[in-house]
Amino acid sequence: MNLKVLLPFQVFAEKTDVLRIVAETRQGSFGLLPQRLDCVAALVPGILIYETKAQGEVCVAVDEGVLVKAGSEVLVSVRRAYGGTDLAQLREAVEREFLVRDEEEEGVRQVMAKLESGFVRRLMGFHRE
């Protein structure tokens, strides 16, 4: 498989000949092997694991995002990602950086949700007329 881990403004990692991938969703962890059917999954903050012959098993802390498998191509699009060798340190980064959101960010999300819902209501009003 070919794996690309995409961040909003850059490519975090691009690997070829990936043997397996393990990702975390709301339903739990799941694995991808080369012959698995195509799929899409919403990722939660956690550890993404992939294995190549050259590097062995590699762990990456990822924020929430989306994983898409189409044929031999696997795209993982996340907001943030951290690489490292110490699994405990990566887990700590996930908890510290991704799971604990500051109040300002949550406030911005709430305001944006209100704006979006207001926009949709107005749009539906125009559609009815």
Side-chain angles (χ1 to χ4, degrees):
M1 294 182 291
N2 299 315
L3 171 67
K4 267 190 191 178
V5 179
L6 306 171
L7 301 177
F9 300 106
Q10 71 184 36
V11 176
F12 178 79
E14 190 168 358
K15 303 296 176 182
T16 58
D17 298 323
V18 176
L19 304 173
R20 69 182 180 94
I21 300 169
V22 178
E24 294 183 37
T25 67
R26 291 200 195 296
Q27 290 74 34
S29 296
F30 76 98
L32 293 173
L33 296 172
Q35 299 304 318
R36 182 180 171 128
L37 294 175
D38 295 348
C39 65
V40 175
L43 302 179
V44 295
I47 305 295
L48 175 78
I49 301 169
Y50 65 89
E51 182 179 356
T52 64
K53 284 184 181 179
Q55 291 182 295
E57 192 173 88
V58 178
C59 300
V60 178
V62 294
D63 200 353
E64 60 191 10
V66 177
L67 179 145
V68 177
K69 181 182 184 303
S72 64
E73 301 295 320
V74 179
L75 297 175
V76 175
S77 180
V78 293
R79 291 175 34 171
R80 293 175 283 189
Y82 295 111
T85 56
D86 183 17
L87 192 56
Q89 192 176 40
L90 286 175
R91 177 57 69 184
E92 183 180 307
V94 167
E95 292 172 359
R96 183 182 64 244
E97 298 292 331
F98 303 153
L99 295 178
V100 179
R101 292 210 167 89
D102 60 316
E103 293 176 14
E104 182 179 312
E105 185 176 336
E106 282 299 317
V108 169
R109 286 177 189 253
Q110 290 175 0
V111 168
M112 289 302 295
K114 289 178 183 176
L115 286 171
E116 289 172 0
S117 64
F119 175 75
V120 168
R121 263 184 287 179
R122 285 189 212 106
L123 189 62
M124 292 301 293
F126 288 132
H127 181 69
R128 290 183 187 139
E129 292 178 0

